Amino acid sequence: WGEGRPGWHIECSAMSGQLLGNNFDIHGGGVDLQFPHHDNEIAQSEAFFDTHQWVNYWMHAGHLHVKGKKMSKSLKNFTTIRAALTTSSATQLRLMFLLAKWDSEINFDENSLKEVRSRESAIRSFFADAKAALRNRKPPSEEDQKWDAEDIKLNTFLIQVKSKVHQALCDNLNWPEAMQQIAYLITEGNKYYRTKGFKTFLLAEIVAYVRRMLTIFGFFDADGEEGSSGGGSKEETVTPFVNALVGFRNKIRDALADAKKSGAVDNKVLFALCDSLRDETLASLGVRLKDDKGNDQNWSLTDPAILKAEAEARAQEQKEREKKKAEIAAKKRLNKIATMEKEIKMFEDYKTDPKDYFKVIHQDKDKFTQFNEKGIPTHRKGEDGKEEEIVGRPLKNLGKVLTKYEKVFKKCATKIQKDPKYLEKLAADLAKLKSS
């Protein structure tokens, strides 16, 4: 046995043995404790209890990473559950853990949280929309419930998903695979309730299965959040009143849509009031409402705290969109100012008649002594001060310079010819844009 290893291993062996005895089912810990800590616990405890199997199952969990690095106080990237709950809900944190294997690392960063919020929104939308679709149907006894090929196909898919979820959970509690299969079922469920002839019992079975599994996973509480237990009677009580209110709101929106064409009302104000009713008044009562023309029953009961968080997230997204829009508008304004200033400068630089270009503007104007009928220099002062003729390539290059100048000059002249006050208007527009 020798001199042994550091004594901190004996603390866990002593506590486990004192509380659980010489054999127990599950011992957990971080993957970094597998060796040497847990190996030492086994050696110590199996020797002390004289047994060959002190623990039946060892479960080593993956580490929590923050922005790709292991969370630790030394790296100053440490966060607590209390702190995490200030930016995310408990449900969102549970969902984040469900989307990663329990024995693999989990990355905690803004990208992970965005995915989680998107998944959560998709799940809640499915329940809200499916419930609204079921509520909007006639009783099953009043509709044909005979399954067609699509119904049979979907039921077969439901059975397959149930089997695959079970297999995933039996495979070392593979939460991500189970959640992915449920996501596939939600996708198919979303397609199904949008079909005209969906069968009430089949859709209800899909909703019930997804809710049962998510309740087991902790996404919903034991009573089934959004009113699967106890909430049903409340929902039945308020349904007529909510339907009446939603119907009234829809009539306002329809009237506004018609009035918008004639300009009879300030529709922005009234639309804002309708949105306030949806996002604030009804949300505070725990009513989730979706805009759905012609359907007065596209609503569901939800935790007001969840609706408040969603509204705040939408408001923040809108704020970011408006900020980005303002930044783009400011950039466009600066670009437009620069373009207008450049054009005004162009008029200033190209106002001289091309025939006088080499006499007035060109950098060597003082050196040129004679010009042809186009205004191109034919003679210049040499370095010795004597006049010399310009021939060959130098003369040809001067001709190219003048041609280039003439092209811009004619462009400016054409604009002034079409509108003699063009430059004046341009300067006025520029001044107005700068002051705005």
Side-chain angles (χ1 to χ4, degrees):
W1 179 242
E3 296 182 0
R5 290 183 177 273
W8 68 281
H9 309 295
I10 199 67
E11 298 175 2
C12 293
S13 299
M15 288 187 291
S16 300
Q18 177 68 28
L19 296 172
L20 302 174
N22 64 355
N23 177 259
F24 56 95
D25 282 327
I26 299 175
H27 190 311
V31 67
D32 56 328
L33 299 180
Q34 188 169 355
F35 177 85
H37 183 54
H38 290 160
D39 278 4
N40 275 267
E41 281 193 69
I42 293 172
Q44 294 166 350
S45 299
E46 291 187 354
F48 178 80
F49 290 113
D50 192 20
T51 179
H52 292 291
Q53 187 160 317
W54 177 51
V55 172
N56 294 335
Y57 302 98
W58 289 89
M59 301 184 70
H60 296 101
H63 289 143
L64 183 61
H65 286 233
V66 177
K67 296 181 179 179
K69 295 182 179 180
K70 178 184 173 183
M71 186 172 75
S72 93
K73 290 184 178 179
S74 62
L75 294 177
K76 296 182 180 179
N77 63 350
F78 184 84
T79 187
T80 63
I81 293 177
R82 189 185 301 276
L85 287 174
T86 61
T87 57
S88 305
S89 68
T91 299
Q92 288 170 346
L93 292 181
R94 291 191 191 100
L95 188 54
M96 182 182 71
F97 295 135
L98 284 170
L99 297 180
K101 289 187 176 182
W102 68 271
D103 56 351
S104 302
E105 67 180 49
I106 299 175
N107 199 33
F108 182 78
D109 58 17
E110 188 56 35
N111 288 333
S112 299
L113 291 176
K114 282 183 179 179
E115 181 185 356
V116 165
R117 294 185 188 112
S118 176
R119 289 284 194 107
E120 180 190 32
S121 177
I123 291 171
R124 296 193 186 283
S125 291
F126 166 69
F127 281 107
D129 295 344
K131 181 178 284 187
L134 289 168
R135 187 167 54 238
N136 203 31
R137 291 302 292 266
K138 295 178 181 179
S141 59
E142 297 180 18
E143 292 186 327
D144 182 11
Q145 295 300 315
K146 183 178 180 180
W147 286 10
D148 58 22
E150 290 302 315
D151 300 321
I152 295 172
K153 181 180 178 182
L154 180 59
N155 185 62
T156 301
F157 183 74
L158 171 60
I159 294 171
Q160 291 173 348
V161 167
K162 288 181 177 181
S163 176
K164 289 179 180 179
V165 169
H166 181 75
Q167 290 173 15
L169 296 179
C170 290
D171 181 18
N172 196 24
L173 298 176
N174 191 343
W175 313 116
E177 178 60 24
M179 288 297 295
Q180 188 58 56
Q181 292 299 324
I182 291 173
Y184 291 148
L185 183 58
I186 287 176
T187 298
E188 294 304 314
N190 282 328
K191 294 177 185 177
Y192 185 61
Y193 68 68
R194 289 185 174 91
T195 60
K196 185 176 181 181
F198 77 83
K199 303 304 185 291
T200 299
F201 291 122
L202 180 53
L203 179 59
E205 171 64 20
I206 293 172
V207 172
Y209 173 72
V210 174
R211 180 179 293 280
R212 181 166 67 87
M213 295 311 302
L214 293 181
T215 299
I216 292 172
F217 293 163
F219 187 89
F220 294 121
D221 58 30
D223 292 331
E225 187 186 338
E226 298 184 3
S228 68
S229 173
S233 59
K234 177 183 177 183
E235 191 166 324
E236 291 170 4
T237 301
V238 302
T239 290
F241 304 100
V242 176
N243 284 347
L245 178 60
V246 174
F248 175 72
R249 179 177 178 274
N250 285 342
K251 289 178 181 178
I252 292 178
R253 290 182 63 85
D254 291 342
L256 288 173
D258 295 334
K260 184 178 181 181
K261 300 175 183 177
S262 61
V265 294
D266 187 352
N267 40 42
K268 287 184 179 180
V269 174
L270 294 177
F271 271 123
L273 290 173
C274 290
D275 290 341
S276 176
L277 175 66
R278 177 193 64 200
D279 297 334
E280 298 175 18
T281 307
L282 292 178
S284 68
L285 297 173
V287 177
R288 183 196 299 278
L289 171 62
K290 290 189 175 183
D291 292 330
D292 189 356
K293 187 175 182 179
N295 183 3
D296 296 346
Q297 301 195 39
N298 198 349
W299 61 271
S300 60
L301 298 181
T302 307
D303 184 353
I306 292 174
L307 294 177
K308 181 181 178 182
E310 290 177 354
E312 290 174 349
R314 286 195 301 271
Q316 181 61 31
E317 289 175 0
Q318 179 64 23
K319 187 176 179 181
E320 291 175 358
R321 282 196 297 269
E322 290 175 354
K323 181 182 178 182
K324 188 174 182 180
K325 186 177 179 181
E327 290 173 350
I328 293 173
K331 187 176 180 179
K332 285 184 177 179
R333 175 178 170 275
L334 292 176
N335 289 339
K336 190 172 182 180
I337 288 174
T339 301
M340 294 171 75
E341 288 178 335
K342 184 177 179 181
E343 187 173 6
I344 290 175
K345 188 176 186 303
M346 179 183 71
F347 275 93
E348 288 294 323
D349 293 343
Y350 291 84
K351 64 182 179 181
T352 302
D353 190 294
K355 289 184 178 182
D356 296 325
Y357 172 74
F358 288 106
K359 300 175 184 178
V360 179
I361 298 176
H362 196 273
Q363 59 185 6
D364 294 333
K365 60 184 178 180
D366 295 332
K367 296 180 180 181
F368 300 131
T369 57
Q370 294 185 46
F371 307 86
N372 64 18
E373 67 280 2
K374 292 183 178 180
I376 300 174
T378 57
H379 293 74
R380 61 178 296 165
K381 294 177 182 178
E383 293 182 0
D384 57 1
K386 293 181 180 181
E387 187 180 61
E388 59 184 29
E389 186 177 3
I390 304 173
V391 295
R393 182 172 292 279
L395 182 63
K396 189 175 181 180
N397 288 340
L398 290 174
K400 289 181 178 179
V401 170
L402 184 60
T403 299
K404 185 177 180 181
Y405 178 86
E406 282 178 332
K407 186 176 180 181
V408 181
F409 176 83
K410 287 179 180 178
K411 180 181 177 181
C412 295
T414 300
K415 288 186 177 182
I416 296 298
Q417 189 177 6
K418 289 182 179 179
D419 184 359
K421 293 186 177 181
Y422 178 81
L423 188 58
E424 183 181 335
K425 292 177 180 178
L426 183 62
D429 291 341
L430 177 61
K432 184 178 180 181
L433 186 60
K434 283 185 174 181
S435 62
S436 63

